[in-house]
Amino acid sequence: MTGRPLILVAQPHLAPLLDVLSSRYDAMPLWEESGKARLAKAEILVTAGEFRLDPAMLEQMAALRLIACFTVGYDGVDLDWARARGVAVTHAGDANAEDVADHALGLILAHRRRIVSGDRQVRSGEWTAGAKMLTRSMAGARVGIVGMGSIGIALAERAGAMRMRVGWWGPREKPELGWARAESLEMLARDSDVMVVAAKATEENRGMIDASVMDALGPQGLLVNVARGQLVDEDALIAALREGRLGGAALDVFESEPTPAARWADVPNMVLTPHMGGATYEAVGRMRDMLLANLGAYFAGEPLVSPVV
């Protein structure tokens, strides 16, 4: 026992944080028995916010006072439970918004300009004098953004610089924005060549991008998701692509992660990346700094830097 505050780190992929935290705190991995044995004494739980926290485990954490999400998202945390028990919740703020917007734009470019297909054509020897690949311009394309938070705004700015037409939809009016808000999600889809999902995930909007939205986007439309996989009805998406009712999709996030490769093996007109949109060295550094700042503020009795609850 060191006498220092006890912090448990929830997921194995956050293991590098143990060295960072151990210089200041008693930090232990929750995935090992040594950490599980100290559930009742831990004051802080550090977690990747997109992973659901087991309610039964949380009930054993009698000393818990802060759930610190290393990532920007916190949809895996039951905020009502936290409020009821006086447990604070923090996250990484807008640490990776610019990088996710970059990735969304990259997915649009990769699909519309067929960059991945072009790479495969060259590598396979299928590029011949008579095999000219035609693609679609970015300029003049209509991009509809679902969710106009930090990521959506950053993407809209980038799309505007490429002379794309920007529209958006979200559940609340934002009169301060300079882009037109559609009256409904389906109307945004009908008026878009590209629809980008950048909304925060909640239980209320699970599956919001359903078959009707995909049909409204249509056989020439492109669906891009850089938010959370559960916002898109994946079964409906696969059916729409196979049947040609939707032109294409570019996904960085999936309903279950890692997503099974076999699920997408024969689905046409797709570009897929492994939830890497916000995973840059710079963004991870900002997340680490935000985590340390929130922990420092908590133990100093000062206002949290980026509180959720």
Side-chain angles (χ1 to χ4, degrees):
M1 297 290 290
T2 65
R4 297 186 297 174
L6 174 59
I7 295 178
L8 295 181
V9 178
Q11 293 87 22
H13 74 279
L14 298 183
L17 290 175
L18 290 168
D19 287 340
V20 175
L21 295 171
S22 292
S23 64
R24 310 181 190 191
Y25 310 105
D26 185 9
M28 303 189 70
L30 184 55
W31 59 91
E32 294 182 0
E33 290 303 320
S34 57
K36 294 176 183 175
R38 300 185 67 186
L39 274 173
K41 296 184 179 299
E43 193 171 348
I44 310 289
L45 178 63
V46 173
T47 183
E50 63 270 27
F51 287 83
R52 179 179 177 271
L53 295 174
D54 180 10
M57 178 196 74
L58 291 174
E59 290 296 341
Q60 297 179 57
M61 302 186 73
L64 184 64
R65 294 295 175 268
L66 172 65
I67 297 173
C69 297
F70 177 70
T71 50
V72 171
Y74 46 86
D75 39 297
V77 180
D78 185 338
L79 298 183
D80 290 335
W81 180 92
R83 289 190 188 96
R85 287 158 178 78
V87 175
V89 180
T90 62
H91 70 138
D94 298 332
N96 65 8
E98 299 287 332
D99 295 304
V100 176
D102 287 344
H103 196 76
L105 187 60
L107 288 173
I108 299 170
L109 275 163
H111 200 287
R112 284 185 70 84
R113 299 306 311 271
R114 300 185 66 184
I115 292 172
V116 178
S117 299
D119 176 84
R120 290 172 181 160
Q121 187 183 73
V122 173
R123 292 176 185 276
S124 65
E126 295 175 4
W127 183 25
T128 65
K132 192 67 175 177
M133 184 181 291
L134 293 177
T135 67
R136 295 184 179 275
S137 288
M138 300 288 282
R142 302 167 301 167
V143 58
I145 302 172
V146 182
M148 198 57 100
S150 299
I151 295 170
I153 290 171
L155 176 59
E157 291 169 345
R158 286 157 172 74
M162 299 191 75
R163 294 188 292 119
M164 302 178 79
R165 280 180 45 198
V166 176
W168 71 282
W169 179 85
R172 293 175 300 279
E173 294 275 4
K174 295 189 175 184
E176 71 277 12
L177 298 181
W179 304 283
R181 176 178 179 264
E183 292 183 15
S184 69
L185 186 55
E186 285 192 25
M187 289 186 69
L188 179 69
R190 279 197 292 272
D191 196 37
S192 298
D193 300 303
V194 180
M195 173 177 275
V196 181
V197 185
K200 181 174 68 174
T202 66
E203 278 305 310
E204 288 71 30
N205 62 16
R206 178 179 290 272
M208 67 189 295
I209 310 299
D210 58 15
S212 64
V213 175
M214 297 172 202
D215 287 342
L217 191 53
Q220 299 300 318
L222 169 63
L223 177 66
V224 178
N225 190 5
V226 292
R228 287 285 187 265
Q230 60 262 39
L231 294 174
V232 174
D233 183 336
E234 277 192 2
D235 290 338
L237 173 64
I238 291 170
L241 289 168
R242 283 177 173 160
E243 295 165 12
R245 292 182 288 107
L246 178 66
L251 307 179
D252 185 51
V253 290
F254 303 87
E255 189 172 2
S256 174
E257 297 184 356
T259 190
R263 182 163 173 75
W264 308 100
D266 62 347
V267 183
N269 302 320
M270 299 202 75
V271 173
L272 308 174
T273 55
H275 201 156
M276 57 189 284
T280 64
Y281 289 107
E282 294 82 0
V284 170
R286 288 189 290 270
M287 291 176 188
R288 177 203 60 219
D289 293 345
M290 189 75 76
L291 173 66
L292 293 175
N294 277 311
L295 293 176
Y298 172 80
F299 286 114
E302 298 172 354
L304 298 170
V305 177
S306 52
V308 180
V309 173

